[in-house]
Amino acid sequence: METSGNLCSCAVVGFKQQAFLTSQPGERHTEVLLGLVQKAMQQAQGQLKDLDAIAYSAGPGAFTGLRVGCGIAQGLGWALEKKLLPIGTLYALAYAVQDKMPVANNILAATDARMHECYTAIYQKSSDDFVEIRSPLLVKPEDLEKELVDHAAHYACGNAFRLYDPTIPKDVKVLSTEDCNAQMLIAPALKEYREGNFASPDKPVLIYVRNHVAQTIAERKKKGTQHNEST
């Protein structure tokens, strides 16, 4: 289940068919996510009790959406006695395009964090692994170029490069400007499953980057921005 952005989505693999469903713009995660799960299971011709594990987006991303996804994953995990697989949003975005990179290279994943900020993290592809070399943090869109240079990242991905169109070095290739979705969680979730990196339903994981999750009324009036939550 992926709930870090404006849309939520659900993907199911391992049964007779694969299934992938996403919400429509304007629909609230709380109102549609469980329905997406049920419909995806029907399309996959599987049953919840036969799942091996439940993967969910752990962030960073929109505070409310992440809490909804984590809460539903936790509830299903408790009810079905299933282990959870928390998958980092930035990691999923980078992992989805790492097959387009040569080994021994770094990639910067960057997503919109609202309030004129971006969530960023750096990953490295080696001959046998794909690992985080700089954990998620907040930067300004105009600082993305410096982030790429400082971390010798010649590849980039994430919706920040679509929404902000930042200046980037000529030797940097943007591999994707998509938002994260549930299909992107599949490959890293299978990797984490094989390696046994589970979370228990009583100890769910969320990646928090921002302590100040929303602007005050005074801050919004000063900057002329709308209220947005992110974590």
Side-chain angles (χ1 to χ4, degrees):
M1 297 178 291
E2 210 297 309
T3 58
S4 68
N6 293 326
L7 301 179
C8 62
S9 56
C10 177
V12 180
V13 296
F15 293 103
K16 291 183 179 180
Q17 295 187 38
Q18 294 190 10
F20 171 63
L21 293 174
T22 186
S23 65
Q24 298 298 313
E27 291 184 321
R28 296 179 181 271
H29 294 13
T30 52
E31 298 170 355
V32 299
L33 184 54
L34 275 175
L36 289 181
V37 172
Q38 294 171 341
K39 291 178 181 178
M41 292 301 303
Q42 291 172 356
Q43 289 189 12
Q45 300 180 42
Q47 297 185 44
L48 287 170
K49 66 180 181 65
D50 295 324
L51 289 172
D52 293 306
I54 299 168
Y56 66 93
S57 55
F63 179 82
T64 301
L66 291 176
R67 295 292 294 177
V68 169
C70 180
I72 289 179
Q74 187 178 17
L76 290 174
W78 271 112
L80 301 170
E81 298 183 343
K82 306 296 181 182
K83 293 181 178 179
L84 307 183
L85 293 165
I87 306 298
T89 309
L90 297 169
Y91 183 77
L93 280 165
Y95 199 94
V97 295
Q98 55 98 13
D99 60 336
K100 301 177 183 179
M101 297 169 51
V103 298
N105 271 270
N106 297 344
I107 182 170
L108 169 71
T111 58
D112 182 25
R114 310 293 175 86
M115 294 162 55
H116 196 69
E117 291 179 315
C118 302
Y119 296 119
T120 65
I122 308 289
Y123 303 94
Q124 185 175 82
K125 180 180 181 179
S126 66
S127 59
D128 59 356
D129 208 350
F130 188 76
V131 297
E132 178 185 279
I133 61 172
R134 204 266 281 142
S135 59
L137 58 77
L138 284 166
V139 305
K140 296 292 185 181
E142 55 267 28
D143 293 330
L144 288 174
E145 181 179 18
K146 184 177 184 298
E147 287 287 299
L148 290 161
V149 173
D150 288 352
H151 296 280
H154 297 293
Y155 295 90
C157 66
N159 65 17
F161 294 97
R162 181 185 80 239
L163 299 174
Y164 292 106
D165 192 25
T167 301
I168 60 174
K170 293 181 179 180
D171 62 345
V172 171
K173 184 175 183 179
V174 179
L175 299 177
S176 170
T177 61
E178 292 184 72
D179 296 3
C180 192
N181 63 60
Q183 284 183 312
M184 295 179 182
L185 301 186
I186 294 171
L190 291 172
K191 177 179 181 290
E192 295 297 294
Y193 181 86
R194 290 191 296 268
E195 295 175 357
N197 297 325
F198 300 106
S200 173
D202 64 334
K203 295 179 180 179
V205 174
L206 283 176
I207 300 172
Y208 291 100
V209 177
R210 174 186 283 151
N211 292 322
H212 186 182
V213 300
Q215 294 177 325
T216 65
I217 293 175
E219 288 172 330
R220 296 200 302 275
K221 286 182 177 178
K222 181 178 180 181
K223 295 184 179 181
T225 58
Q226 295 181 342
H227 174 81
N228 287 296
E229 291 182 341
S230 54
T231 185

